[in-house]
């Protein structure tokens, strides 16, 4: 491994929300490998985020594990305040936290709809709003938000998820316009079918048009998505902003 000073994210601090497992975990590991001090986050999975942080440290990186319910304004702000108190900066934000689940539209009540929307959209808003002032102060920021293919292709039994993920596209474009001239980029990465063990909130993936046919012949892995997150987070990603980048093996073709 190259020395820390030669790694492109040396001296940067990254927060990856919902990074106990899968895409969040892989993103945290890859950003740490590039030299970032990574804050691993979950709402309640203390043991899992501590394990991810320990893995980063075992590889010679720097990591902090923090719990917060990012749907609560005070906790979202407190999460960022804790990072700034420890490190003095926050340069990269990966909005990955989400809950999903499946339910036929006629059985979907407002409470279930709001539960999903709150984590995916309001959580991203609250953490980003808390993080942006630190990015503006340093004249550098990378905001990478994890979207969902259901927002683009449509899907049965996941109206709440598709709606929330679609909102993230507008959120990202607005951030890109407002802060591009100040050194902050904002992009959304949209996974397709990603294999591996899913969390209890993920559901079975919904009924996508065409049955979710994959031209490449296999599901993706969390690392496939995390690699794009890493690319967008690098200093060299400064000319990519406001973009929706699909990582789906050809499942959905814009």
């Amino acid at each position: 491994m190259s020395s820390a000073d030669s790694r492109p994210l040396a001296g940067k601090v990254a927060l990856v929300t919902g990074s106990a497992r899968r895409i969040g975990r892989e993103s945290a590991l890859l950003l740490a490998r590039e030299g970032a001090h990574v804050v691993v986050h979950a709402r309640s999975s203390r043991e899992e985020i501590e394990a991810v942080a320990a893995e980063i440290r075992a590889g010679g990186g720097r990591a902090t594990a923090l719990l917060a319910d990012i749907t609560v304004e005070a906790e979202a702000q407190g999460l960022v305040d804790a990072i700034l108190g420890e490190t003095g900066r926050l340069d990269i934000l990966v909005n990955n936290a989400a809950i999903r689940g499946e339910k036929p539209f006629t059985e979907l009540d407002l409470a279930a709809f709001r539960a999903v929307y709150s984590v995916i959209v309001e959580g991203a808003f609250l953490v980003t709003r808390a993080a942006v002032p630190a990015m503006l102060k340093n004249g550098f920021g990378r905001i990478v938000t994890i979207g969902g293919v259901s927002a683009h292709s449509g899907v049965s039994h996941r109206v709440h998820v598709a709606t929330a993920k679609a909102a993230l596209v507008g959120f990202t474009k607005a951030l890109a316009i407002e802060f591009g001239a100040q050194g902050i980029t904002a992009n959304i990465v949209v996974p397709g079918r990603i294999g591996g063990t899913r969390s209890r909130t993920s559901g079975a993936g919904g009924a996508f048009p065409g049955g979710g046919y994959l031209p490449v012949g296999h599901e993706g892995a969390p690392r496939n998505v995390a690699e794009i997150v890493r690319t967008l987070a690098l200093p060299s990603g400064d000319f990519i902003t406001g973009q929706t980048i699909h990582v789906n093996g050809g499942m959905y073709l814009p």
Side-chain angles (χ1 to χ4, degrees):
M1 182 180 289
S2 58
S3 67
D5 288 342
S6 69
R7 287 179 282 174
L9 295 180
K12 306 293 187 191
V13 177
L15 166 60
V16 184
T17 66
S19 42
R21 59 182 77 91
R22 292 176 59 78
I23 292 170
R25 174 183 175 276
E26 288 295 325
S27 297
L29 294 174
L30 289 182
L31 293 174
R33 202 162 297 162
E34 296 292 354
H37 179 153
V38 177
V39 179
V40 187
H41 160 267
R43 179 169 57 183
S44 59
S45 306
R46 167 67 72 182
E47 290 187 4
E48 289 181 287
I49 60 172
E50 290 288 2
V52 177
E55 186 174 352
I56 289 171
R57 296 187 199 107
R62 300 180 64 195
T64 302
L66 294 175
L67 293 177
D69 182 347
I70 61 170
T71 68
V72 177
E73 187 170 6
E75 290 198 36
Q77 184 64 56
L79 173 63
V80 172
D81 288 346
I83 295 168
L84 297 176
E86 178 181 351
T87 68
R89 63 186 302 134
L90 180 55
D91 308 279
I92 299 159
L93 171 60
V94 181
N95 287 311
N96 174 68
I99 59 173
R100 298 175 181 84
E102 296 181 12
K103 188 168 287 190
F105 180 71
T106 54
E107 299 174 15
L108 182 63
D109 59 28
L110 184 58
F113 183 92
R114 282 178 171 167
V116 168
Y117 192 89
S118 178
V119 173
I120 294 175
V121 181
E122 294 178 2
F125 164 72
L126 289 172
V127 177
T128 304
R129 190 185 63 178
V132 163
M135 297 178 180
L136 290 171
K137 179 181 177 181
N138 294 320
F140 178 94
R142 298 287 182 266
I143 301 167
V144 183
T145 299
I146 304 302
V149 70
S150 63
H152 303 271
S153 67
V155 64
S156 295
H157 297 176
R158 295 182 76 171
V159 166
H160 47 346
V161 179
T163 301
K165 291 293 189 178
L168 293 178
V169 177
F171 176 71
T172 296
K173 290 181 178 182
L175 291 173
I177 295 296
E178 188 161 348
F179 297 112
Q182 292 146 295
I184 300 173
T185 64
N187 293 284
I188 185 164
V189 179
V190 183
R193 288 197 177 275
I194 304 299
T197 303
R198 292 171 170 83
S199 72
R200 287 174 296 177
T201 67
S202 294
F208 288 87
Y213 167 71
L214 297 172
V216 298
H218 61 85
E219 289 188 324
R223 173 105 183 206
N224 295 132
V225 183
E227 290 281 5
I228 304 303
V229 172
R230 173 172 63 175
T231 297
L232 294 171
L234 293 174
S236 57
D238 63 350
F239 203 56
I240 306 171
T241 196
Q243 301 303 306
T244 300
I245 301 173
H246 291 271
V247 184
N248 61 35
M251 173 184 173
Y252 170 75
L253 303 175

